[in-house]
Amino acid sequence: MRDRWNRDTETMLLTNEQAETMLQSYYVAGYKVVKVEPTEGGLANSSFLVQTESGNQLHLRICVRDPSAAEKEYRLIQLIQGNVPAPRAIHFSTVNPISDHPFMILSWVEGTRLETIVGELRPRDVDHLGESLGGTLALIHRFQFDQFGFFNDHLEIPSPMQMGGKGLLRYAEECLLENLAGERLGEPLTEMILKFIEAECGLLDEWRGKPCLTHSDFNGSNILVKKGNAGWDVAAVIDWEFAFSGTPFFDFGNLLRAPLGEVPGIDAAIERGYKSAGGELPPQWRKMSRLTDLTAWLEFLTRRNAGINLIYDCKTQICKTMGEWV
């Protein structure tokens, strides 16, 4: 789906000389750049593979979509260092000599975007990959907080949020009745969605876990995998811009969207990996994840620059969730 969606921002391009200038905010002058390549997968920020004359490879990430979230993202990468497979945090700066956007320098992690291999997965690949994905999520969710909500630059939560059924219903009402989502879906479908959520949202109240670190964009474009002797393993989780203190179901819902979620046996393998790594899940975790994932589709519909393909996919996925609910 995502390959048909429009970007939130224009793609930036960098010359070798511009990359050198940015790197010199951390490295000594004369750090020679011989190659700059935009990375694939993201729809908001601009990321580059930078190769230096000495053979070093770096990940240069320019925070274009929401500069105010840049320092939070960098601090989160520092927080999880050594505990979650992710790039290593090297440098962050709010002063960009090339553009007005803050940027960060991260270590480069070799890997293949998960979304590019889903169609090639064979049955024997599914168990190992699923267990690796589940285990990685358990590592992320081990980071717990006292409250639900969005982080500030210091990873504090200044405005706690309400999760559970009431939180989902209130958010849906905000998107559908106070924003563009209802206008884009039309009155009959808007009413149907609100009735569905009102009837089913109480399921989320069955989860009593603590607020945990939630990547919130945990999907095939932000998960790098690498193939070893046993099969595909998670090499790194990237792009932490949207992370917040939430519930595990935001990440499970995102991960198990099509096409990965349609691979036979993948959800069972993910569950095994999650529990083996110490994660806990209620019996109806899959339904709770689908229900929670409605927040993402509704949020997409509020974006002013949402393209026709994104709007179509949002409508399709919301209707699919309601239609398949048992």
Side-chain angles (χ1 to χ4, degrees):
M1 285 184 290
R2 286 174 60 97
D3 59 343
R4 305 186 305 115
W5 297 356
N6 57 298
R7 282 184 57 89
D8 287 346
T9 60
E10 292 186 13
T11 303
M12 290 187 64
L13 296 176
L14 281 183
T15 64
N16 291 359
E17 291 74 19
Q18 288 173 323
E20 280 179 20
T21 301
M22 294 178 71
L23 291 182
Q24 285 168 13
S25 70
Y26 177 71
Y27 293 101
V28 296
Y31 208 78
K32 185 71 174 175
V33 170
V34 296
K35 186 178 183 181
V36 179
E37 283 185 3
T39 63
E40 297 180 349
L43 296 175
N45 296 299
S46 294
S47 291
F48 302 88
L49 165 60
V50 177
Q51 186 171 321
T52 69
E53 190 174 44
S54 60
N56 289 337
Q57 291 185 317
L58 300 167
H59 180 173
L60 180 60
R61 180 166 167 82
I62 304 177
C63 305
V64 178
R65 193 197 72 89
D66 183 6
S68 66
E71 186 170 353
K72 175 209 77 173
E73 179 179 6
Y74 188 76
R75 287 182 182 270
L76 279 171
I77 295 172
Q78 289 180 313
L79 175 70
I80 64 173
Q81 211 77 85
N83 295 290
V84 175
R88 180 171 56 87
I90 298 174
H91 178 62
F92 171 77
S93 178
T94 57
V95 179
N96 186 336
I98 302 303
S99 72
D100 294 330
H101 309 102
F103 69 96
M104 63 188 76
I105 303 170
L106 308 170
S107 65
W108 179 257
V109 179
E110 289 291 345
T112 303
R113 285 182 296 120
L114 173 61
E115 63 186 359
T116 66
I117 67 157
V118 172
E120 304 169 7
L121 290 175
R122 290 170 290 188
R124 66 173 179 265
D125 296 322
V126 173
D127 283 350
H128 189 81
L129 172 62
E131 289 171 7
S132 182
L133 288 167
T136 300
L137 268 185
L139 296 177
I140 294 171
H141 297 161
R142 281 183 190 174
F143 291 88
Q144 296 183 334
F145 306 91
D146 292 329
Q147 298 168 312
F148 295 108
F150 296 106
F151 301 115
N152 62 17
D153 289 347
H154 303 288
L155 302 188
E156 301 164 336
I157 301 170
S159 301
M161 295 168 56
Q162 183 181 34
M163 291 286 170
K166 289 182 180 178
L168 172 59
L169 181 59
R170 178 66 195 107
Y171 185 74
E173 289 172 341
E174 181 181 325
C175 292
L176 291 164
L177 304 179
E178 303 168 23
N179 216 309
L180 290 171
E183 178 182 329
R184 284 168 165 163
L185 294 176
E187 188 174 340
L189 183 53
T190 292
E191 185 176 346
M192 184 185 304
I193 294 169
L194 288 174
K195 284 183 178 179
F196 170 78
I197 291 175
E198 186 173 12
E200 303 296 341
C201 65
L203 176 63
L204 298 180
D205 297 326
E206 296 181 12
W207 188 74
R208 296 286 189 270
K210 286 199 64 167
C212 65
L213 179 59
T214 304
H215 184 278
S216 196
D217 204 15
F218 194 78
N219 57 58
S221 66
N222 294 325
I223 301 170
L224 302 180
V225 294
K226 202 167 186 177
K227 194 161 191 179
N229 292 332
W232 290 100
D233 286 292
V234 175
V237 182
I238 60 174
D239 294 7
W240 292 80
E241 177 190 10
F242 299 109
F244 72 109
S245 174
T247 72
F249 311 113
F250 288 91
D251 286 337
F252 281 112
N254 199 320
L255 177 63
L256 287 171
R257 294 173 189 167
L260 183 66
E262 296 175 342
V263 174
I266 193 68
D267 52 352
I270 289 170
E271 181 179 12
R272 282 196 306 274
Y274 192 79
K275 290 181 175 178
S276 295
E280 296 182 4
L281 288 172
Q284 297 201 73
W285 70 272
R286 190 68 179 93
K287 290 184 75 173
M288 296 165 85
S289 300
R290 291 191 191 101
L291 196 58
T292 300
D293 199 40
L294 289 177
T295 60
W297 297 111
L298 292 171
E299 191 276 330
F300 288 146
L301 287 167
T302 67
R303 298 184 182 183
R304 294 198 173 275
N305 65 340
I308 187 170
N309 291 330
L310 174 57
I311 293 172
Y312 174 82
D313 286 340
C314 289
K315 182 176 179 179
T316 300
Q317 293 304 310
I318 291 171
C319 290
K320 185 171 185 257
T321 296
M322 296 190 296
E324 294 178 350
W325 198 260
V326 178

